[in-house]
Amino acid sequence: MTKKEKRERKKNDRGIVDFMMVTNHFFHDLTSWISDMTDPRNQSYTTYSQTDLGYLAIMKNICGQHSMRQMEENFNNNVCIDTLRLLSGNKQLEEMPHYDTLNYYLERLSPECIYELRKKMITSLIRGKAFNRGRLQGKYWRVILDGTGLFYFKEKHCENCLCTVRTDETGKKTKLYYHKVLEAKIVLSDDIIISIGTEFIENEKEDVSKQDCELNAAKRLMKKIKKDYPRLPICIQGDTLYAVEPVMKLCREKYDWKYLFTQKDTRQKLLNESFEWIKGGDDAKKITGICKEKGTGFYANHVEKVAGKTEVMNVFEYEYKTIDKDGQKQTVQFQWVTNLELTDRNLEEMILTGRGRWKIENEGFNNQKNGLYRIEHLNSKNSNAMKTHYLFTQIADILMQLYIAWNPYVKELKQSIKNTSSWLLESFRRQTVTAEDVSYILRYTTVYLE
């Protein structure tokens, strides 16, 4: 495709109008859901509706505005005001809210309100059945757990800060204070992996004997997910940190979930030795020429009986040969543990599922940190606003992923997510939404996803 052809094709991309159409298709009641949140402000002194501020927080992320000041400068025009008025449904909106107004609102808004908003969105997607093909073995929704650091401070920020000590090359020790978050992301398809649960890893108070950790946060988060989605068939995925019997017992006894965790000998040494012993005795099943690398898969069910464990531990492994950058041959190997029964027919699907755990890091946190949203940027020093800013980023990410999965021009023109966001910003600032556009947004349209 020539540059001229690309320009011609780009003319068909309606930008913000298409984004609003996709949003309306999947979440027809989004505006009322935002309006239904408990407004923390004194209603006698409010100028802007809750939907004005909610959509402003969403559009800040959609348009790749990393700072509040950047948002203030780029959104301060009449076209943006008109479009925000249409999004929020507030016909009395005459001026774009100042970023201090947005921060004031987010400092007081309860994170529980945004959790409930996200729950309504996820429930709507699941009930729509458009993503049923993405389920593991045609039944289980994959939910991937992973944690990441958000904000780092040289001095104590609040009593909830975590603390670590770092030693530099000279041996000098420095205290570092930070905030961390654990995310649970549900896999709807290969290209759509969105937040279903969030747990902030933080100390309850300053003088704790033992700091909060990712494993404890995972137990709290799993409890919340079960409460919000009690009947949802789930397969929990995670790295080797979660491959321990207490987590497996929770999945089996309390939640009736399946699990699939990365396995390493540093975490479950006896389990690894037992599997190697089974392989050495030719009792493990072996399948060759699978996956795109045409590698070799091994599996053995109920290795816990040999390892002396109480939870079900079906172990499978995948290895293939490759050549490194120096031209040397090397073997790449992966191993996982699960309570799903392994067979010759489902082994390749299980391997692909196990390797797909990296998506939450490569396409999830990596994109949110270094790509579009820059979640490590501190938009407010207020502890509550730090959380609500982050949670609105997750809401925006759900909308953005659905828009990109639908947009026929992104892959055709090989358009990056940054350029897509830049185009939405340009459209939001310059494209007047007409009555014809509104009709296009509101009418029922079949949305086909890649």
Side-chain angles (χ1 to χ4, degrees):
M1 188 180 294
T2 64
K3 290 183 177 179
K4 183 178 180 181
E5 289 172 336
K6 287 184 177 181
R7 289 195 299 272
E8 292 300 316
R9 291 292 290 149
K10 188 68 177 176
K11 289 179 181 178
N12 297 322
D13 190 344
R14 298 191 182 199
I16 192 64
V17 174
D18 278 335
F19 174 80
M20 293 165 69
M21 182 274 294
V22 173
T23 299
N24 182 73
H25 173 83
F26 286 104
F27 311 110
H28 184 71
D29 297 320
L30 182 59
T31 300
S32 62
W33 291 343
I34 296 174
S35 180
D36 288 343
M37 295 192 302
T38 303
D39 196 334
R41 301 169 298 166
N42 187 326
Q43 298 304 302
S44 302
Y45 301 98
T46 57
T47 303
Y48 303 101
S49 72
Q50 195 161 216
T51 52
D52 295 335
L53 300 175
Y55 272 108
L56 180 61
I58 290 171
M59 293 309 301
K60 170 186 178 294
N61 289 285
I62 293 296
C63 296
Q65 304 302 285
H66 304 145
S67 70
M68 301 295 279
R69 190 174 297 278
Q70 185 182 26
M71 178 196 71
E72 176 79 9
E73 293 173 354
N74 286 327
F75 286 5
N76 189 27
N77 69 39
N78 291 328
V79 176
C80 286
I81 296 170
D82 292 340
T83 305
L84 183 62
R85 184 188 303 120
L86 183 62
L87 279 166
S88 70
N90 179 15
K91 295 180 180 180
Q92 281 72 47
L93 179 67
E94 297 180 353
E95 190 59 69
M96 186 65 68
H98 192 273
Y99 70 80
D100 281 340
T101 304
L102 178 59
N103 262 338
Y104 177 88
Y105 168 69
L106 294 179
E107 285 173 6
R108 289 156 179 78
L109 180 67
S110 170
E112 297 296 331
C113 293
I114 311 180
Y115 292 151
E116 186 63 26
L117 171 63
R118 178 175 55 189
K119 177 184 172 182
K120 292 176 181 177
M121 296 173 71
I122 298 294
T123 301
S124 176
L125 291 174
I126 292 172
R127 288 179 176 172
K129 299 183 179 180
F131 302 99
N132 281 0
R133 289 181 298 174
R135 295 180 297 180
L136 175 62
Q137 298 185 3
K139 180 178 180 180
Y140 302 104
W141 293 96
R142 296 161 54 197
V143 174
I144 307 176
L145 300 177
D146 197 26
T148 189
L150 285 181
F151 310 112
Y152 296 85
F153 307 93
K154 292 182 179 179
E155 298 179 354
K156 181 180 285 293
H157 167 262
C158 64
E159 64 177 7
N160 303 123
C161 283
L162 301 173
C163 179
T164 186
V165 178
R166 290 185 177 177
T167 306
D168 60 19
E169 297 176 354
T170 63
K172 182 181 177 181
K173 294 184 178 181
T174 306
K175 270 191 175 184
L176 185 67
Y177 299 93
Y178 64 101
H179 286 247
K180 195 174 180 181
V181 66
L182 178 69
E183 269 292 320
K185 300 218 171 182
I186 186 169
V187 180
L188 299 181
S189 71
D190 288 342
D191 299 317
I192 305 177
I193 304 167
I194 60 178
S195 173
I196 190 176
T198 302
E199 182 66 26
F200 293 96
I201 305 173
E202 57 185 12
N203 295 325
E204 292 183 0
K205 54 184 180 178
E206 186 173 345
D207 56 339
V208 292
S209 58
K210 187 177 181 181
Q211 294 197 102
D212 195 13
C213 67
E214 188 173 326
L215 204 55
N216 287 336
K219 295 174 182 177
R220 300 195 300 269
L221 182 54
M222 289 164 65
K223 183 178 180 180
K224 289 181 180 179
I225 294 173
K226 183 62 178 181
K227 180 182 178 182
D228 289 340
Y229 309 93
R231 299 175 60 187
L232 193 68
I234 288 176
C235 177
I236 286 285
Q237 285 186 253
D239 58 25
T240 186
L241 173 69
Y242 306 101
V244 291
E245 287 197 282
V247 176
M248 297 175 184
K249 185 177 181 181
L250 278 177
C251 292
R252 175 179 60 84
E253 284 190 352
K254 295 194 69 174
Y255 308 135
D256 192 27
W257 290 346
K258 302 300 181 182
Y259 51 81
L260 197 167
F261 301 126
T262 303
Q263 159 62 16
K264 291 183 180 179
D265 58 357
T266 54
R267 189 64 166 165
Q268 289 270 16
K269 185 176 181 180
L270 188 57
L271 183 66
N272 180 264
E273 290 175 351
S274 299
F275 182 66
E276 292 299 322
W277 179 78
I278 293 173
K279 281 174 60 180
D282 295 328
D283 289 326
K285 294 290 186 70
K286 177 181 178 181
I287 301 179
T288 58
I290 57 176
C291 301
K292 64 179 181 180
E293 299 90 359
K294 303 301 178 184
T296 303
F298 302 89
Y299 74 89
N301 289 311
H302 300 290
V303 182
E304 76 277 0
K305 295 179 180 179
V306 180
K309 304 291 184 178
T310 57
E311 298 302 322
V312 175
M313 296 186 182
N314 304 324
V315 181
F316 62 106
E317 189 176 87
Y318 178 64
E319 62 180 37
Y320 63 91
K321 306 290 183 181
T322 187
I323 298 176
D324 62 20
K325 60 182 180 180
D326 299 322
Q328 300 295 319
K329 291 184 178 180
Q330 63 175 3
T331 300
V332 180
Q333 188 179 73
F334 306 93
Q335 190 177 100
W336 301 270
V337 58
T338 181
N339 61 343
L340 286 164
E341 198 75 8
L342 300 167
T343 66
D344 291 357
R345 296 182 64 180
N346 69 20
L347 182 62
E348 184 169 358
E349 181 188 7
M350 295 294 289
I351 290 171
L352 294 174
T353 300
R355 296 178 71 181
R357 186 193 64 79
W358 287 97
K359 280 184 173 290
I360 194 172
E361 295 178 356
N362 296 340
E363 298 179 14
F365 281 136
N366 185 49
N367 179 53
Q368 291 189 11
K369 280 187 172 184
N370 307 314
L372 180 59
Y373 308 114
R374 302 289 175 88
I375 58 174
E376 291 181 308
H377 178 80
L378 192 64
N379 287 290
S380 173
K381 291 184 178 180
N382 177 273
S383 296
N384 191 73
M386 287 162 56
K387 295 178 181 179
T388 50
H389 268 290
Y390 173 82
L391 292 170
F392 264 115
T393 300
Q394 302 308 315
I395 298 296
D397 186 54
I398 294 173
L399 302 177
M400 191 65 170
Q401 286 196 50
L402 291 170
Y403 168 71
I404 290 174
W406 166 84
N407 193 313
Y409 309 106
V410 171
K411 289 185 178 179
E412 186 179 352
L413 303 178
K414 298 181 179 179
Q415 187 169 280
S416 69
I417 188 171
K418 282 187 177 180
N419 287 338
T420 302
S421 177
S422 297
W423 166 238
L424 285 173
L425 172 62
E426 183 180 350
S427 176
F428 185 50
R429 296 184 70 243
R430 299 183 181 181
Q431 183 176 349
T432 301
V433 182
T434 64
E436 182 183 349
D437 292 330
V438 173
S439 175
Y440 167 75
I441 291 166
L442 295 180
R443 75 171 182 259
Y444 179 79
T445 305
T446 302
V447 174
Y448 295 99
L449 300 179
E450 292 291 335

